[in-house]
Every structure is written in structure tokens, then in C-alpha cells.
PDB file of all heavy atoms in Angstrom:
ATOM      1  N   LEU A   1     140.399  97.511  54.732  1.00 95.00           N
ATOM      2  CA  LEU A   1     140.323  96.068  54.481  1.00 95.00           C
ATOM      3  C   LEU A   1     139.573  95.722  53.202  1.00 95.00           C
ATOM      4  O   LEU A   1     138.795  94.771  53.151  1.00 95.00           O
ATOM      5  CB  LEU A   1     139.701  95.349  55.688  1.00 95.00           C
ATOM      6  CG  LEU A   1     140.489  95.474  56.985  1.00 95.00           C
ATOM      7  CD1 LEU A   1     139.829  94.654  58.085  1.00 95.00           C
ATOM      8  CD2 LEU A   1     141.942  95.057  56.811  1.00 95.00           C
ATOM      9  N   LEU A   2     139.807  96.504  52.176  1.00 97.00           N
ATOM     10  CA  LEU A   2     139.303  96.211  50.841  1.00 97.00           C
ATOM     11  C   LEU A   2     140.512  95.978  49.938  1.00 97.00           C
ATOM     12  O   LEU A   2     141.350  96.867  49.764  1.00 97.00           O
ATOM     13  CB  LEU A   2     138.438  97.350  50.323  1.00 97.00           C
ATOM     14  CG  LEU A   2     137.134  97.572  51.101  1.00 97.00           C
ATOM     15  CD1 LEU A   2     136.492  98.906  50.727  1.00 97.00           C
ATOM     16  CD2 LEU A   2     136.152  96.434  50.850  1.00 97.00           C
ATOM     17  N   LEU A   3     140.623  94.775  49.398  1.00 96.00           N
ATOM     18  CA  LEU A   3     141.803  94.368  48.657  1.00 96.00           C
ATOM     19  C   LEU A   3     141.613  94.596  47.164  1.00 96.00           C
ATOM     20  O   LEU A   3     140.770  93.953  46.536  1.00 96.00           O
ATOM     21  CB  LEU A   3     142.088  92.884  48.915  1.00 96.00           C
ATOM     22  CG  LEU A   3     143.283  92.279  48.174  1.00 96.00           C
ATOM     23  CD1 LEU A   3     144.580  92.922  48.665  1.00 96.00           C
ATOM     24  CD2 LEU A   3     143.314  90.770  48.368  1.00 96.00           C
ATOM     25  N   PRO A   4     142.367  95.504  46.538  1.00 97.00           N
ATOM     26  CA  PRO A   4     142.227  95.740  45.101  1.00 97.00           C
ATOM     27  C   PRO A   4     142.581  94.495  44.280  1.00 97.00           C
ATOM     28  O   PRO A   4     143.597  93.847  44.531  1.00 97.00           O
ATOM     29  CB  PRO A   4     143.225  96.875  44.834  1.00 97.00           C
ATOM     30  CG  PRO A   4     143.403  97.551  46.154  1.00 97.00           C
ATOM     31  CD  PRO A   4     143.313  96.454  47.162  1.00 97.00           C
ATOM     32  N   VAL A   5     141.730  94.192  43.301  1.00 97.00           N
ATOM     33  CA  VAL A   5     141.980  93.062  42.403  1.00 97.00           C
ATOM     34  C   VAL A   5     142.056  93.509  40.950  1.00 97.00           C
ATOM     35  O   VAL A   5     142.412  92.718  40.076  1.00 97.00           O
ATOM     36  CB  VAL A   5     140.896  91.973  42.568  1.00 97.00           C
ATOM     37  CG1 VAL A   5     140.951  91.379  43.961  1.00 97.00           C
ATOM     38  CG2 VAL A   5     139.503  92.531  42.273  1.00 97.00           C
ATOM     39  N   PHE A   6     141.718  94.768  40.687  1.00 97.00           N
ATOM     40  CA  PHE A   6     141.779  95.296  39.325  1.00 97.00           C
ATOM     41  C   PHE A   6     141.945  96.809  39.381  1.00 97.00           C
ATOM     42  O   PHE A   6     141.273  97.485  40.163  1.00 97.00           O
ATOM     43  CB  PHE A   6     140.509  94.947  38.540  1.00 97.00           C
ATOM     44  CG  PHE A   6     140.394  95.684  37.230  1.00 97.00           C
ATOM     45  CD1 PHE A   6     141.081  95.233  36.109  1.00 97.00           C
ATOM     46  CD2 PHE A   6     139.624  96.836  37.118  1.00 97.00           C
ATOM     47  CE1 PHE A   6     141.002  95.926  34.898  1.00 97.00           C
ATOM     48  CE2 PHE A   6     139.531  97.527  35.918  1.00 97.00           C
ATOM     49  CZ  PHE A   6     140.226  97.059  34.808  1.00 97.00           C
ATOM     50  N   TRP A   7     142.851  97.329  38.537  1.00 95.00           N
ATOM     51  CA  TRP A   7     143.024  98.769  38.395  1.00 95.00           C
ATOM     52  C   TRP A   7     142.823  99.147  36.933  1.00 95.00           C
ATOM     53  O   TRP A   7     143.342  98.470  36.040  1.00 95.00           O
ATOM     54  CB  TRP A   7     144.426  99.195  38.821  1.00 95.00           C
ATOM     55  CG  TRP A   7     144.662  99.148  40.290  1.00 95.00           C
ATOM     56  CD1 TRP A   7     145.161  98.092  40.993  1.00 95.00           C
ATOM     57  CD2 TRP A   7     144.415 100.189  41.232  1.00 95.00           C
ATOM     58  NE1 TRP A   7     145.246  98.419  42.326  1.00 95.00           N
ATOM     59  CE2 TRP A   7     144.803  99.696  42.499  1.00 95.00           C
ATOM     60  CE3 TRP A   7     143.919 101.488  41.122  1.00 95.00           C
ATOM     61  CZ2 TRP A   7     144.693 100.459  43.653  1.00 95.00           C
ATOM     62  CZ3 TRP A   7     143.802 102.248  42.284  1.00 95.00           C
ATOM     63  CH2 TRP A   7     144.191 101.738  43.528  1.00 95.00           C
ATOM     64  N   GLY A   8     142.105 100.211  36.703  1.00 93.00           N
ATOM     65  CA  GLY A   8     141.926 100.700  35.346  1.00 93.00           C
ATOM     66  C   GLY A   8     141.726 102.202  35.349  1.00 93.00           C
ATOM     67  O   GLY A   8     141.539 102.826  36.407  1.00 93.00           O
ATOM     68  N   GLU A   9     141.769 102.786  34.177  1.00 94.00           N
ATOM     69  CA  GLU A   9     141.484 104.209  34.006  1.00 94.00           C
ATOM     70  C   GLU A   9     140.548 104.371  32.818  1.00 94.00           C
ATOM     71  O   GLU A   9     140.491 103.520  31.932  1.00 94.00           O
ATOM     72  CB  GLU A   9     142.769 105.008  33.775  1.00 94.00           C
ATOM     73  CG  GLU A   9     143.688 105.064  34.974  1.00 94.00           C
ATOM     74  CD  GLU A   9     144.868 106.008  34.766  1.00 94.00           C
ATOM     75  OE1 GLU A   9     144.708 107.017  34.056  1.00 94.00           O
ATOM     76  OE2 GLU A   9     145.947 105.727  35.305  1.00 94.00           O
ATOM     77  N   ALA A  10     139.796 105.464  32.823  1.00 94.00           N
ATOM     78  CA  ALA A  10     138.892 105.785  31.719  1.00 94.00           C
ATOM     79  C   ALA A  10     138.821 107.295  31.577  1.00 94.00           C
ATOM     80  O   ALA A  10     139.373 108.040  32.395  1.00 94.00           O
ATOM     81  CB  ALA A  10     137.502 105.199  31.959  1.00 94.00           C
ATOM     82  N   LEU A  11     138.136 107.750  30.546  1.00 95.00           N
ATOM     83  CA  LEU A  11     137.953 109.170  30.236  1.00 95.00           C
ATOM     84  C   LEU A  11     139.279 109.840  29.865  1.00 95.00           C
ATOM     85  O   LEU A  11     139.722 110.814  30.491  1.00 95.00           O
ATOM     86  CB  LEU A  11     137.278 109.911  31.397  1.00 95.00           C
ATOM     87  CG  LEU A  11     135.906 109.383  31.839  1.00 95.00           C
ATOM     88  CD1 LEU A  11     135.299 110.292  32.892  1.00 95.00           C
ATOM     89  CD2 LEU A  11     134.970 109.221  30.660  1.00 95.00           C
ATOM     90  N   TYR A  12     139.889 109.314  28.828  1.00 93.00           N
ATOM     91  CA  TYR A  12     141.081 109.941  28.272  1.00 93.00           C
ATOM     92  C   TYR A  12     140.722 111.121  27.359  1.00 93.00           C
ATOM     93  O   TYR A  12     141.552 111.993  27.118  1.00 93.00           O
ATOM     94  CB  TYR A  12     141.904 108.922  27.487  1.00 93.00           C
ATOM     95  CG  TYR A  12     142.582 107.894  28.360  1.00 93.00           C
ATOM     96  CD1 TYR A  12     141.923 106.711  28.704  1.00 93.00           C
ATOM     97  CD2 TYR A  12     143.861 108.099  28.857  1.00 93.00           C
ATOM     98  CE1 TYR A  12     142.531 105.766  29.510  1.00 93.00           C
ATOM     99  CE2 TYR A  12     144.482 107.160  29.665  1.00 93.00           C
ATOM    100  CZ  TYR A  12     143.809 105.994  29.987  1.00 93.00           C
ATOM    101  OH  TYR A  12     144.419 105.070  30.798  1.00 93.00           O
ATOM    102  N   VAL A  13     139.506 111.119  26.839  1.00 91.00           N
ATOM    103  CA  VAL A  13     139.083 112.219  25.984  1.00 91.00           C
ATOM    104  C   VAL A  13     138.990 113.496  26.817  1.00 91.00           C
ATOM    105  O   VAL A  13     138.554 113.470  27.977  1.00 91.00           O
ATOM    106  CB  VAL A  13     137.716 111.894  25.329  1.00 91.00           C
ATOM    107  CG1 VAL A  13     136.630 111.738  26.382  1.00 91.00           C
ATOM    108  CG2 VAL A  13     137.333 112.962  24.320  1.00 91.00           C
ATOM    109  N   PRO A  14     139.417 114.649  26.315  1.00 91.00           N
ATOM    110  CA  PRO A  14     139.301 115.898  27.072  1.00 91.00           C
ATOM    111  C   PRO A  14     137.839 116.208  27.416  1.00 91.00           C
ATOM    112  O   PRO A  14     136.937 115.928  26.624  1.00 91.00           O
ATOM    113  CB  PRO A  14     139.884 116.950  26.116  1.00 91.00           C
ATOM    114  CG  PRO A  14     140.825 116.181  25.242  1.00 91.00           C
ATOM    115  CD  PRO A  14     140.171 114.834  25.052  1.00 91.00           C
ATOM    116  N   PRO A  15     137.580 116.800  28.591  1.00 93.00           N
ATOM    117  CA  PRO A  15     136.208 117.013  29.067  1.00 93.00           C
ATOM    118  C   PRO A  15     135.544 118.255  28.491  1.00 93.00           C
ATOM    119  O   PRO A  15     135.097 119.141  29.228  1.00 93.00           O
ATOM    120  CB  PRO A  15     136.397 117.137  30.580  1.00 93.00           C
ATOM    121  CG  PRO A  15     137.743 117.771  30.718  1.00 93.00           C
ATOM    122  CD  PRO A  15     138.579 117.188  29.614  1.00 93.00           C
ATOM    123  N   PHE A  16     135.479 118.314  27.179  1.00 92.00           N
ATOM    124  CA  PHE A  16     134.865 119.460  26.525  1.00 92.00           C
ATOM    125  C   PHE A  16     133.785 118.967  25.568  1.00 92.00           C
ATOM    126  O   PHE A  16     133.961 117.951  24.889  1.00 92.00           O
ATOM    127  CB  PHE A  16     135.915 120.267  25.765  1.00 92.00           C
ATOM    128  CG  PHE A  16     137.073 120.698  26.630  1.00 92.00           C
ATOM    129  CD1 PHE A  16     138.352 120.232  26.374  1.00 92.00           C
ATOM    130  CD2 PHE A  16     136.871 121.553  27.710  1.00 92.00           C
ATOM    131  CE1 PHE A  16     139.418 120.610  27.174  1.00 92.00           C
ATOM    132  CE2 PHE A  16     137.930 121.941  28.508  1.00 92.00           C
ATOM    133  CZ  PHE A  16     139.211 121.463  28.252  1.00 92.00           C
ATOM    134  N   ALA A  17     132.690 119.704  25.516  1.00 89.00           N
ATOM    135  CA  ALA A  17     131.518 119.261  24.750  1.00 89.00           C
ATOM    136  C   ALA A  17     131.611 119.656  23.293  1.00 89.00           C
ATOM    137  O   ALA A  17     130.677 120.208  22.712  1.00 89.00           O
ATOM    138  CB  ALA A  17     130.250 119.829  25.381  1.00 89.00           C
ATOM    139  N   ARG A  18     132.734 119.385  22.662  1.00 89.00           N
ATOM    140  CA  ARG A  18     132.893 119.638  21.237  1.00 89.00           C
ATOM    141  C   ARG A  18     132.527 118.371  20.472  1.00 89.00           C
ATOM    142  O   ARG A  18     132.972 117.283  20.813  1.00 89.00           O
ATOM    143  CB  ARG A  18     134.326 120.046  20.923  1.00 89.00           C
ATOM    144  CG  ARG A  18     134.753 121.341  21.611  1.00 89.00           C
ATOM    145  CD  ARG A  18     136.232 121.613  21.375  1.00 89.00           C
ATOM    146  NE  ARG A  18     136.681 122.786  22.123  1.00 89.00           N
ATOM    147  CZ  ARG A  18     137.954 123.136  22.248  1.00 89.00           C
ATOM    148  NH1 ARG A  18     138.909 122.393  21.675  1.00 89.00           N
ATOM    149  NH2 ARG A  18     138.292 124.208  22.940  1.00 89.00           N
ATOM    150  N   ALA A  19     131.755 118.531  19.436  1.00 89.00           N
ATOM    151  CA  ALA A  19     131.265 117.364  18.696  1.00 89.00           C
ATOM    152  C   ALA A  19     132.404 116.505  18.179  1.00 89.00           C
ATOM    153  O   ALA A  19     132.335 115.269  18.215  1.00 89.00           O
ATOM    154  CB  ALA A  19     130.372 117.815  17.541  1.00 89.00           C
ATOM    155  N   SER A  20     133.479 117.119  17.721  1.00 85.00           N
ATOM    156  CA  SER A  20     134.597 116.343  17.175  1.00 85.00           C
ATOM    157  C   SER A  20     135.269 115.501  18.254  1.00 85.00           C
ATOM    158  O   SER A  20     135.653 114.347  18.014  1.00 85.00           O
ATOM    159  CB  SER A  20     135.628 117.282  16.526  1.00 85.00           C
ATOM    160  OG  SER A  20     136.109 118.227  17.479  1.00 85.00           O
ATOM    161  N   LEU A  21     135.398 116.056  19.454  1.00 83.00           N
ATOM    162  CA  LEU A  21     135.991 115.306  20.554  1.00 83.00           C
ATOM    163  C   LEU A  21     135.092 114.159  20.992  1.00 83.00           C
ATOM    164  O   LEU A  21     135.562 113.048  21.253  1.00 83.00           O
ATOM    165  CB  LEU A  21     136.266 116.234  21.739  1.00 83.00           C
ATOM    166  CG  LEU A  21     137.451 117.182  21.606  1.00 83.00           C
ATOM    167  CD1 LEU A  21     137.522 118.095  22.824  1.00 83.00           C
ATOM    168  CD2 LEU A  21     138.755 116.402  21.459  1.00 83.00           C
ATOM    169  N   LEU A  22     133.794 114.416  21.073  1.00 86.00           N
ATOM    170  CA  LEU A  22     132.865 113.373  21.507  1.00 86.00           C
ATOM    171  C   LEU A  22     132.852 112.210  20.525  1.00 86.00           C
ATOM    172  O   LEU A  22     132.769 111.043  20.924  1.00 86.00           O
ATOM    173  CB  LEU A  22     131.458 113.958  21.665  1.00 86.00           C
ATOM    174  CG  LEU A  22     131.310 115.072  22.712  1.00 86.00           C
ATOM    175  CD1 LEU A  22     129.863 115.523  22.809  1.00 86.00           C
ATOM    176  CD2 LEU A  22     131.828 114.615  24.070  1.00 86.00           C
ATOM    177  N   ARG A  23     132.934 112.521  19.240  1.00 88.00           N
ATOM    178  CA  ARG A  23     132.951 111.444  18.236  1.00 88.00           C
ATOM    179  C   ARG A  23     134.226 110.613  18.324  1.00 88.00           C
ATOM    180  O   ARG A  23     134.213 109.412  18.038  1.00 88.00           O
ATOM    181  CB  ARG A  23     132.813 112.040  16.835  1.00 88.00           C
ATOM    182  CG  ARG A  23     131.431 112.564  16.498  1.00 88.00           C
ATOM    183  CD  ARG A  23     131.299 112.808  14.999  1.00 88.00           C
ATOM    184  NE  ARG A  23     132.264 113.809  14.526  1.00 88.00           N
ATOM    185  CZ  ARG A  23     132.012 115.108  14.453  1.00 88.00           C
ATOM    186  NH1 ARG A  23     130.821 115.566  14.835  1.00 88.00           N
ATOM    187  NH2 ARG A  23     132.931 115.958  14.005  1.00 88.00           N
ATOM    188  N   SER A  24     135.319 111.251  18.736  1.00 86.00           N
ATOM    189  CA  SER A  24     136.597 110.538  18.790  1.00 86.00           C
ATOM    190  C   SER A  24     136.863 109.896  20.149  1.00 86.00           C
ATOM    191  O   SER A  24     137.918 109.272  20.336  1.00 86.00           O
ATOM    192  CB  SER A  24     137.745 111.490  18.455  1.00 86.00           C
ATOM    193  OG  SER A  24     137.808 112.564  19.397  1.00 86.00           O
ATOM    194  N   ALA A  25     135.937 110.017  21.089  1.00 85.00           N
ATOM    195  CA  ALA A  25     136.155 109.485  22.439  1.00 85.00           C
ATOM    196  C   ALA A  25     136.498 107.993  22.441  1.00 85.00           C
ATOM    197  O   ALA A  25     137.430 107.562  23.134  1.00 85.00           O
ATOM    198  CB  ALA A  25     134.932 109.756  23.312  1.00 85.00           C
ATOM    199  N   PRO A  26     135.778 107.134  21.686  1.00 86.00           N
ATOM    200  CA  PRO A  26     136.156 105.705  21.680  1.00 86.00           C
ATOM    201  C   PRO A  26     137.584 105.472  21.195  1.00 86.00           C
ATOM    202  O   PRO A  26     138.268 104.571  21.698  1.00 86.00           O
ATOM    203  CB  PRO A  26     135.130 105.081  20.731  1.00 86.00           C
ATOM    204  CG  PRO A  26     133.949 106.000  20.783  1.00 86.00           C
ATOM    205  CD  PRO A  26     134.538 107.374  20.925  1.00 86.00           C
ATOM    206  N   ALA A  27     138.045 106.270  20.253  1.00 87.00           N
ATOM    207  CA  ALA A  27     139.412 106.116  19.759  1.00 87.00           C
ATOM    208  C   ALA A  27     140.429 106.466  20.847  1.00 87.00           C
ATOM    209  O   ALA A  27     141.452 105.786  20.996  1.00 87.00           O
ATOM    210  CB  ALA A  27     139.630 107.000  18.528  1.00 87.00           C
ATOM    211  N   PHE A  28     140.158 107.539  21.621  1.00 82.00           N
ATOM    212  CA  PHE A  28     141.028 107.878  22.742  1.00 82.00           C
ATOM    213  C   PHE A  28     141.156 106.688  23.690  1.00 82.00           C
ATOM    214  O   PHE A  28     142.257 106.340  24.139  1.00 82.00           O
ATOM    215  CB  PHE A  28     140.459 109.080  23.515  1.00 82.00           C
ATOM    216  CG  PHE A  28     140.807 110.423  22.935  1.00 82.00           C
ATOM    217  CD1 PHE A  28     139.965 111.066  22.037  1.00 82.00           C
ATOM    218  CD2 PHE A  28     141.978 111.064  23.309  1.00 82.00           C
ATOM    219  CE1 PHE A  28     140.278 112.306  21.512  1.00 82.00           C
ATOM    220  CE2 PHE A  28     142.303 112.311  22.793  1.00 82.00           C
ATOM    221  CZ  PHE A  28     141.454 112.936  21.887  1.00 82.00           C
ATOM    222  N   GLU A  29     140.025 106.061  24.026  1.00 86.00           N
ATOM    223  CA  GLU A  29     140.035 104.953  24.976  1.00 86.00           C
ATOM    224  C   GLU A  29     140.772 103.740  24.415  1.00 86.00           C
ATOM    225  O   GLU A  29     141.528 103.079  25.130  1.00 86.00           O
ATOM    226  CB  GLU A  29     138.600 104.566  25.353  1.00 86.00           C
ATOM    227  CG  GLU A  29     137.773 105.684  25.945  1.00 86.00           C
ATOM    228  CD  GLU A  29     138.319 106.204  27.268  1.00 86.00           C
ATOM    229  OE1 GLU A  29     138.542 105.399  28.181  1.00 86.00           O
ATOM    230  OE2 GLU A  29     138.515 107.437  27.376  1.00 86.00           O
ATOM    231  N   ARG A  30     140.551 103.431  23.142  1.00 84.00           N
ATOM    232  CA  ARG A  30     141.206 102.260  22.545  1.00 84.00           C
ATOM    233  C   ARG A  30     142.722 102.423  22.523  1.00 84.00           C
ATOM    234  O   ARG A  30     143.465 101.503  22.883  1.00 84.00           O
ATOM    235  CB  ARG A  30     140.694 102.032  21.122  1.00 84.00           C
ATOM    236  CG  ARG A  30     139.310 101.424  21.036  1.00 84.00           C
ATOM    237  CD  ARG A  30     139.041 100.898  19.640  1.00 84.00           C
ATOM    238  NE  ARG A  30     139.177 101.944  18.618  1.00 84.00           N
ATOM    239  CZ  ARG A  30     138.176 102.712  18.214  1.00 84.00           C
ATOM    240  NH1 ARG A  30     136.965 102.579  18.753  1.00 84.00           N
ATOM    241  NH2 ARG A  30     138.364 103.635  17.276  1.00 84.00           N
ATOM    242  N   ILE A  31     143.187 103.590  22.105  1.00 84.00           N
ATOM    243  CA  ILE A  31     144.630 103.818  22.023  1.00 84.00           C
ATOM    244  C   ILE A  31     145.263 103.792  23.415  1.00 84.00           C
ATOM    245  O   ILE A  31     146.300 103.157  23.641  1.00 84.00           O
ATOM    246  CB  ILE A  31     144.919 105.154  21.321  1.00 84.00           C
ATOM    247  CG1 ILE A  31     144.465 105.082  19.859  1.00 84.00           C
ATOM    248  CG2 ILE A  31     146.394 105.504  21.413  1.00 84.00           C
ATOM    249  CD1 ILE A  31     144.503 106.418  19.137  1.00 84.00           C
ATOM    250  N   ALA A  32     144.635 104.475  24.367  1.00 78.00           N
ATOM    251  CA  ALA A  32     145.171 104.509  25.730  1.00 78.00           C
ATOM    252  C   ALA A  32     145.169 103.118  26.351  1.00 78.00           C
ATOM    253  O   ALA A  32     146.124 102.727  27.031  1.00 78.00           O
ATOM    254  CB  ALA A  32     144.359 105.471  26.591  1.00 78.00           C
ATOM    255  N   GLY A  33     144.093 102.364  26.133  1.00 72.00           N
ATOM    256  CA  GLY A  33     144.026 101.019  26.679  1.00 72.00           C
ATOM    257  C   GLY A  33     145.033 100.075  26.059  1.00 72.00           C
ATOM    258  O   GLY A  33     145.630  99.234  26.743  1.00 72.00           O
ATOM    259  N   ARG A  34     145.248 100.219  24.775  1.00 70.00           N
ATOM    260  CA  ARG A  34     146.179  99.327  24.075  1.00 70.00           C
ATOM    261  C   ARG A  34     147.602  99.503  24.597  1.00 70.00           C
ATOM    262  O   ARG A  34     148.355  98.538  24.724  1.00 70.00           O
ATOM    263  CB  ARG A  34     146.140  99.609  22.581  1.00 70.00           C
ATOM    264  CG  ARG A  34     147.052  98.708  21.736  1.00 70.00           C
ATOM    265  CD  ARG A  34     146.894  99.052  20.270  1.00 70.00           C
ATOM    266  NE  ARG A  34     145.500  98.945  19.844  1.00 70.00           N
ATOM    267  CZ  ARG A  34     145.038  99.398  18.675  1.00 70.00           C
ATOM    268  NH1 ARG A  34     145.878 100.014  17.831  1.00 70.00           N
ATOM    269  NH2 ARG A  34     143.769  99.267  18.346  1.00 70.00           N
ATOM    270  N   PHE A  35     147.980 100.738  24.917  1.00 62.00           N
ATOM    271  CA  PHE A  35     149.346 101.008  25.362  1.00 62.00           C
ATOM    272  C   PHE A  35     149.448 101.246  26.872  1.00 62.00           C
ATOM    273  O   PHE A  35     150.510 101.639  27.364  1.00 62.00           O
ATOM    274  CB  PHE A  35     149.902 102.221  24.608  1.00 62.00           C
ATOM    275  CG  PHE A  35     150.028 101.996  23.126  1.00 62.00           C
ATOM    276  CD1 PHE A  35     149.074 102.504  22.257  1.00 62.00           C
ATOM    277  CD2 PHE A  35     151.076 101.251  22.613  1.00 62.00           C
ATOM    278  CE1 PHE A  35     149.177 102.298  20.883  1.00 62.00           C
ATOM    279  CE2 PHE A  35     151.192 101.035  21.245  1.00 62.00           C
ATOM    280  CZ  PHE A  35     150.234 101.552  20.373  1.00 62.00           C
ATOM    281  N   SER A  36     148.337 101.014  27.589  1.00 67.00           N
ATOM    282  CA  SER A  36     148.316 101.191  29.054  1.00 67.00           C
ATOM    283  C   SER A  36     148.845 102.562  29.467  1.00 67.00           C
ATOM    284  O   SER A  36     149.698 102.700  30.349  1.00 67.00           O
ATOM    285  CB  SER A  36     149.140 100.094  29.731  1.00 67.00           C
ATOM    286  OG  SER A  36     148.612  98.821  29.438  1.00 67.00           O
ATOM    287  N   LEU A  37     148.334 103.579  28.807  1.00 70.00           N
ATOM    288  CA  LEU A  37     148.807 104.934  29.060  1.00 70.00           C
ATOM    289  C   LEU A  37     148.230 105.495  30.359  1.00 70.00           C
ATOM    290  O   LEU A  37     147.098 105.193  30.731  1.00 70.00           O
ATOM    291  CB  LEU A  37     148.407 105.846  27.895  1.00 70.00           C
ATOM    292  CG  LEU A  37     148.982 105.482  26.518  1.00 70.00           C
ATOM    293  CD1 LEU A  37     148.451 106.444  25.475  1.00 70.00           C
ATOM    294  CD2 LEU A  37     150.507 105.505  26.548  1.00 70.00           C
ATOM    295  N   PRO A  38     149.000 106.331  31.080  1.00 70.00           N
ATOM    296  CA  PRO A  38     148.452 107.045  32.234  1.00 70.00           C
ATOM    297  C   PRO A  38     147.676 108.264  31.765  1.00 70.00           C
ATOM    298  O   PRO A  38     147.655 108.591  30.581  1.00 70.00           O
ATOM    299  CB  PRO A  38     149.711 107.451  33.003  1.00 70.00           C
ATOM    300  CG  PRO A  38     150.732 107.645  31.923  1.00 70.00           C
ATOM    301  CD  PRO A  38     150.430 106.598  30.858  1.00 70.00           C
TER     302      PRO A  38
END
């Protein structure tokens, strides 16, 4: 009896502790959010 009112996803960046990936994490989220990617 909990009615969903919003669905979203996060953490599109791969889960690896590489500095280049961590720096690009906001870009992954922006692109995925803009196109509603799974």
C-alpha cells in the first residue's frame, strides 16, 4: 500500500575508482537524464 509517485535512476557511471571516470560522473548523469536512458 505504497503508491509510487516518481521513478528515477542514478549511477550511470561505471562503479570503478578510476579518476577519469569519477571526474566524468556528472556528464554520465546529465546525458542519461536528458534522454531518459535505462
